[in-house]
Amino acid sequence: MIEDPPATAALTPIPADDLRRRVRQRPGDPGARLLIALVGGLRAVNAGILNECTPGTGRPRADWLKLTEAEVLSARHAAQDAAETTGRPWRTLAIQALDRLISAPDPHGPAPTQAASPVAHGGAYLTAADRRAQAAFPAVQAGETWKGRQSGRLVQISEVTSQSVFVHGVGEYPRQRFHQVFDRP
């Protein structure tokens, strides 16, 4: 397991009692819009990122919507700083920073064990047909080099999610379409 970089580890989790009293923002609120943009936009929300739980404490990520605009901005800044120092994808670091903010231990009950926390697996939000199609292609990992099928140009994979493959300097591709455009060198 990769430890949190100092920039995100320095964020202080919001006390569980304080977080419990807060009301979740609505989608049109400025803080919610900022949060949605930070985690990958409506595509990530529609894929179910807010239905997941944080690793370790098992807090619902929907509680991110209880964060203030200033708290979301502090998570974004911490992630940007960590990305510069570690070279890790900033969006992944932003999610870790948001998780840290809502993951204070709950004084009213035992913390769930690691095994009790739901974990989203790659492809968890795909249809059965999409999963079968995806299984027919080789796995894609961040840091790998692939080749454009038409151009022959080598590209670097910067991030892989359950829905998308991010190609450094090129853009984002849906996982199902990625193998139509790129191949192993």
Side-chain angles (χ1 to χ4, degrees):
M1 184 171 149
I2 299 173
E3 291 186 24
D4 284 348
T8 56
L11 292 170
T12 304
I14 297 159
D17 285 338
D18 182 20
L19 197 61
R20 190 178 357 268
R21 283 189 291 270
R22 294 183 183 186
V23 176
R24 289 186 180 145
Q25 297 183 54
R26 290 187 299 251
D29 293 342
R33 286 196 318 258
L34 179 64
L35 171 75
I36 290 167
L38 183 62
V39 300
L42 288 177
R43 172 179 244 162
V45 172
N46 292 338
I49 194 165
L50 294 176
N51 298 328
E52 297 173 358
C53 293
T54 62
T57 59
R59 298 257 184 253
R61 283 185 167 159
D63 282 351
W64 288 345
L65 292 168
K66 292 182 177 183
L67 297 174
T68 66
E69 194 171 344
E71 290 163 343
V72 173
L73 284 171
S74 70
R76 183 177 80 184
H77 293 305
Q80 289 169 332
D81 291 346
E84 288 177 13
T85 59
T86 67
R88 291 173 50 202
W90 77 269
R91 187 157 315 225
T92 301
L93 294 166
I95 289 170
Q96 289 174 345
L98 292 167
D99 283 349
R100 180 161 179 80
L101 286 174
I102 66 166
S103 290
D106 190 344
H108 299 294
T113 64
Q114 183 73 13
S117 300
V119 177
H121 297 285
Y125 307 110
L126 302 177
T127 66
D130 287 341
R131 281 194 297 277
R132 283 191 301 275
Q134 189 177 37
F137 296 107
V140 181
Q141 300 290 324
E144 290 181 336
T145 301
W146 284 67
K147 179 178 76 173
R149 287 183 184 261
Q150 289 184 347
S151 69
R153 184 175 141 218
L154 295 178
V155 295
Q156 183 82 22
I157 307 302
S158 59
E159 185 176 356
V160 178
T161 67
S162 65
Q163 296 288 313
S164 301
V165 177
F166 296 85
V167 179
H168 181 73
V170 178
E172 176 183 1
Y173 288 86
R175 285 181 72 119
Q176 293 79 14
R177 186 168 178 269
F178 176 80
H179 290 286
Q180 295 170 357
V181 180
F182 298 97
D183 198 4
R184 292 216 185 258

